[in-house]
Amino acid sequence: MRLVLLGAPGAGKGTQAKLLIEKYNTPQISTGDLLRAAVAAESDLGKEAKSYMDRGDLVPDRVVLGMVKERIAHDDCLSGYILDGFPRNTAQAEALDGMLAEMDMALDAALSVDVPMEDLMKRLTGRRTCQKCGQMYNIYFSAPAEENKCDKCGSELYQRDDDREETITKRLEVYESQTAPLIEYYTGKGICRSVDGTGAIDEIFATVCETLGLD
Ligand code: AP5
Ligand code: MG
Ligand code: ZN
């Protein structure tokens, strides 16, 4: 299945995508993760992206579109993928439609994970991620058994550079003005679905699967 995950920063796109991968073995394409890898590698692309990410702004479309186009052409994407954090504005959504049309493919669904704005700040300031396996934790809601250590692989956890309060505020504004309109965009195409993203992660996952008609 070719799926777009929509939702504000901290809504749980990455968390739900990881569960979908485990269960259905579908690749997750997170433009945020790809950009953070480029920043860590100090590539030219990463150097350009970093200043935008640190401010909480969107990285220019040209950079992101090149990355996605290359990634969805890989063999592991032939039977589907989960786009997490892409598209992020109408221009990206239209460009994605164009790329898919060229490949004679179409999206199956865009799923919006809905969480009230007032919950998001705590989810983001509390997020910690395993530097080795990528497992996500939250010091307020789902803390690891041992402080700062991954339950799954024992590696150290880190906090994302953009999970500081000022940057989060900016990311939430950018979401409202540029990304939220995509709900209407995909509703117009008849493929938009939504789930309540509050409550227990496993229960949300069950609703995600049901909403997408997966078993
Ligand atoms: P990106 O990495 O995409 O960040 P984001 O959209 O801000 O989303 P997050 O990853 O912060 O949230 P999430 O929904 O994945 O939540 P998560 O599952 O981690 O983008 C970062 C930056 O890169 C952008 O600002 C931009 O600069 C750039 N960028 C990326 N894509 C781009 C694009 N297409 N175009 C241009 N620029 C782009 O969960 C968050 C926390 O909540 C975790 O701690 C988790 O454990 C916890 N949590 C999850 N579910 C629950 C629950 N049910 N209850 C309680 N806590 C929960
Ligand atoms: Mg994410
Ligand atoms: Zn780990």
Side-chain angles (χ1 to χ4, degrees):
M1 104 152 342
R2 284 180 288 275
L3 171 69
V4 165
L5 277 182
L6 294 171
K13 302 179 294 294
T15 302
Q16 296 299 324
K18 294 230 154 32
L19 295 171
L20 286 166
I21 305 171
E22 270 173 33
K23 189 156 175 197
Y24 299 103
N25 204 18
T26 309
Q28 169 201 19
I29 304 175
S30 158
T31 42
D33 287 349
L34 292 172
L35 289 166
R36 279 184 288 281
V39 170
E42 297 181 6
S43 66
D44 289 345
L45 189 155
K47 282 180 198 152
E48 184 182 356
K50 188 172 172 12
S51 59
Y52 294 94
M53 296 172 81
D54 285 348
R55 286 198 304 273
D57 273 326
L58 295 184
V59 172
D61 292 344
R62 146 187 70 75
V63 174
V64 176
L65 289 170
M67 254 172 28
V68 171
K69 192 165 188 178
E70 201 237 72
R71 184 63 189 85
I72 61 174
H74 286 201
D75 282 353
D76 66 338
C77 290
L78 280 173
S79 54
Y81 41 80
I82 303 161
L83 290 167
D84 163 4
F86 175 89
R88 217 52 172 226
N89 58 27
T90 309
Q92 291 183 10
E94 288 169 351
L96 174 63
D97 286 343
M99 277 181 223
L100 289 171
E102 262 177 42
M103 299 164 90
D104 215 8
M105 290 174 173
L107 291 172
D108 297 298
L111 181 72
S112 168
V113 182
D114 300 338
V115 174
M117 277 292 160
E118 60 267 26
D119 292 1
L120 298 170
M121 185 59 82
K122 213 167 174 187
R123 284 200 187 186
L124 292 168
T125 52
R127 171 168 51 196
R128 300 291 183 275
T129 309
C130 174
Q131 54 181 2
K132 191 158 177 218
C133 76
Q135 177 63 38
M136 233 127 36
Y137 298 88
N138 193 290
I139 56 169
Y140 305 113
F141 307 114
S142 52
E146 204 177 320
E147 201 184 324
N148 232 24
K149 209 169 176 191
C150 179
D151 292 346
K152 284 196 168 169
C153 76
S155 300
E156 206 179 315
L157 308 182
Y158 74 93
Q159 182 169 21
R160 263 169 53 175
D161 286 344
D162 61 349
D163 280 345
R164 289 175 290 118
E165 232 171 285
E166 324 80 80
T167 316
I168 293 170
T169 303
K170 175 70 180 178
R171 284 160 60 203
L172 294 174
E173 282 168 18
V174 168
Y175 171 77
E176 279 297 336
S177 62
Q178 302 200 44
T179 313
L182 293 183
I183 294 176
E184 215 164 298
Y185 181 88
Y186 287 116
T187 301
K189 294 187 175 288
I191 58 166
C192 195
R193 310 275 176 275
S194 67
V195 291
D196 178 355
T198 60
I201 290 170
D202 289 351
E203 282 165 23
I204 298 166
F205 183 59
T207 314
V208 166
C209 295
E210 195 187 311
T211 307
L212 295 174
L214 303 167
D215 37 46

